[in-house]
């Protein structure tokens, strides 16, 4: 074998090795026993469940300064910003109400950042993918109907709100574009305290879409009160808003699986940044648009 051939073989072997390492996945089997997960401080780790879930954090790690939790397309993204001892976290399937328990521990060293795939005893992880594929045609049909309904004078806010909810909480592979709807930059602060000033709620912008002069903005709402739950009423929202839809009618006390929900806020002729009370826009830096939010599920 000549030197050039040896080099080529070495490159191929190295490429395969790197690809194998990049695609490494840790498999965890849910058998009703808490699943131990170590998190590397400062690095993100992904847990794939292929399910629409809510995340319930214990009070000890419920701050973004300790643990950042985001979710999209059936995956949970965890980033520990400081080390912490083992804490039990509840992940609840919003469709079946099944609860999966994780024992999370954040470590300065010795924790892997490999992706984790959770396998359920009924084959739920694999079946979920098959089910999503089977439902793809019906989901696509629904999206096409939404586009047709818009042309048939169905209210644009309804179509926009439905599309935004599906974009955030339906599997990406099942979402088909609706002609004329485009993702837009939000230009919003990271927190909007005057949006719901009467409640101890943290409002965080997630993403925005525009269509024919209308804009819908998804805003994550987190209850900061560990002792009280609240009914949600769109009339409590402050600003020059056209309409608002909540994923859930109530917001549970902090630390519960229902302490987070999403509001889809529609504005007409202007983005939410221009419709908010001026105090919000004067409160700090502008956040970048991001897709991931706590995945809460539900129907719009």
């Amino acid at each position: 074998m000549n030197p050039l051939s040896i080099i080529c073989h070495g490159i191929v072997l190295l490429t395969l090795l790197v690809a194998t390492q990049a695609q490494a996945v840790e498999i965890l089997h849910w058998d009703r026993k808490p699943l131990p997960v170590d998190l590397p401080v400062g690095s993100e780790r992904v847990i794939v469940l292929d399910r629409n879930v809510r995340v319930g954090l214990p009070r000890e790690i419920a701050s973004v300064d300790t643990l950042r939790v985001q979710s999209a397309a059936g995956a949970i993204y965890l980033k520990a910003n400081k080390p912490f001892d083992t804490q039990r976290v509840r992940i609840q399937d919003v469709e079946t109400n099944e609860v999966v328990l994780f024992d999370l521990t954040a470590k300065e060293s010795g924790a892997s950042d490999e992706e984790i795939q959770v396998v359920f005893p009924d084959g739920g992880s694999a079946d979920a993918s098959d089910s999503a594929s089977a439902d793809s045609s019906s989901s696509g049909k629904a999206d096409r109907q939404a586009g047709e309904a818009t042309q048939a004078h169905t209210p644009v806010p309804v179509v926009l709100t439905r599309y935004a909810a599906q974009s955030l909480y339906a599997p990406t592979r099942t979402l088909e574009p609706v002609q004329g709807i485009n993702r837009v930059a939000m230009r919003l602060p990271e927190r909007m305290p005057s949006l719901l000033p009467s409640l101890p709620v943290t409002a965080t912008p997630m993403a925005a879409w525009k269509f024919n002069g209308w804009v819908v903005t998804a805003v994550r709402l987190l209850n900061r009160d560990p002792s009280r739950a609240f009914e949600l009423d769109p009339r409590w929202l402050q600003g020059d808003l056209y309409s608002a839809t909540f994923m859930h009618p109530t917001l549970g006390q902090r630390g519960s699986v229902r302490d987070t929900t999403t509001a889809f806020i529609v504005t007409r002729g202007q983005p939410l940044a221009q419709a908010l009370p001026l105090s919000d826009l004067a409160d700090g830096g502008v956040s970048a648009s991001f897709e991931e939010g706590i995945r809460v599920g539900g129907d719009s």
Side-chain angles (χ1 to χ4, degrees), residues 250-278:
T250 60
L251 197 58
Q253 62 189 37
R254 178 157 188 174
S256 71
V257 296
R258 299 182 182 275
D259 68 355
T260 306
T261 192
T262 303
F264 295 95
I265 301 173
V266 176
T267 51
R268 185 175 187 178
Q270 61 182 346
L272 184 58
Q274 297 177 12
L276 286 175
L278 293 177

Side-chain angles (χ1 to χ4, degrees), residues 1-11:
M1 184 177 293
N2 61 52
L4 180 59
S5 179
I6 293 175
I7 292 174
C8 290
H9 279 78
I11 292 175

Side-chain angles (χ1 to χ4, degrees), residues 10-284:
I11 292 175
V12 171
L13 181 60
L14 179 59
T15 302
L16 291 175
L17 179 59
V18 171
T20 300
Q21 291 175 339
Q23 297 173 2
V25 175
E26 180 180 350
I27 305 296
L28 294 180
H29 293 266
W30 169 244
D31 60 357
R32 303 191 182 279
K33 296 179 181 178
L35 301 174
V37 174
D38 291 340
L39 302 176
V41 173
S43 298
E44 190 170 67
R45 193 162 195 191
V46 182
I47 300 177
V48 178
L49 297 101
D50 282 330
R51 293 189 175 195
N52 190 11
V53 299
R54 300 187 186 97
V55 181
L57 297 176
R59 191 176 308 173
E60 290 79 5
I61 58 173
S63 167
V64 70
D65 295 331
T66 303
L67 178 66
R68 188 190 71 185
V69 182
Q70 297 176 334
S71 179
I76 301 172
Y77 299 81
L78 303 171
K79 182 180 180 182
N81 293 311
K82 63 176 65 173
F84 55 80
D85 295 331
T86 302
Q87 300 289 333
R88 182 152 297 175
V89 172
R90 291 166 50 92
I91 308 294
Q92 184 179 38
D93 188 317
V94 299
E95 296 176 359
T96 66
N97 289 325
E98 180 181 0
V99 173
V100 179
L101 300 177
F102 290 90
D103 283 344
L104 301 184
T105 307
K107 300 180 178 180
E108 291 281 7
S109 61
S112 171
D113 61 357
E114 290 180 350
E115 178 180 305
I116 294 173
Q117 176 79 52
V118 178
V119 177
F120 295 88
D122 59 353
S125 176
D127 292 346
S129 178
D130 295 338
S131 175
S133 298
D135 292 341
S136 177
S137 58
S138 60
S139 176
K141 182 179 179 181
D143 287 337
R144 288 191 295 273
Q145 289 174 343
E148 294 169 359
T150 300
Q151 296 175 356
H153 308 296
T154 293
V156 173
V158 174
V159 177
L160 265 178
T161 299
R162 182 190 300 121
Y163 182 84
Q166 291 175 346
S167 296
L168 288 178
Y169 300 113
T172 305
R173 59 182 173 273
T174 68
L175 179 67
E176 294 184 7
V178 177
Q179 186 175 5
I181 297 182
N182 297 302
R183 181 78 174 267
V184 294
M186 296 183 296
R187 309 293 182 187
L188 287 167
E190 294 182 357
R191 298 289 184 270
M192 298 180 291
S194 62
L195 182 66
L196 266 171
S198 61
L199 296 180
V201 170
T202 297
T204 305
M206 298 170 65
W209 294 263
K210 184 177 182 180
F211 180 55
N212 282 354
W214 298 81
V215 178
V216 61
T217 304
V219 179
R220 180 169 69 94
L221 303 178
L222 171 66
N223 188 359
R224 300 193 306 271
D225 194 323
S227 60
R228 291 187 295 168
F230 305 100
E231 297 288 335
L232 294 172
D233 189 327
R235 292 172 295 182
W236 294 345
L237 295 165
Q238 301 298 306
D240 185 13
L241 314 176
Y242 181 84
S243 67
T245 303
F246 298 104
M247 291 289 282
H248 301 92
T250 60
L251 197 58
Q253 62 189 37
R254 178 157 188 174
S256 71
V257 296
R258 299 182 182 275
D259 68 355
T260 306
T261 192
T262 303
F264 295 95
I265 301 173
V266 176
T267 51
R268 185 175 187 178
Q270 61 182 346
L272 184 58
Q274 297 177 12
L276 286 175
L278 293 177
S279 58
D280 266 351
L281 302 180
D283 275 345

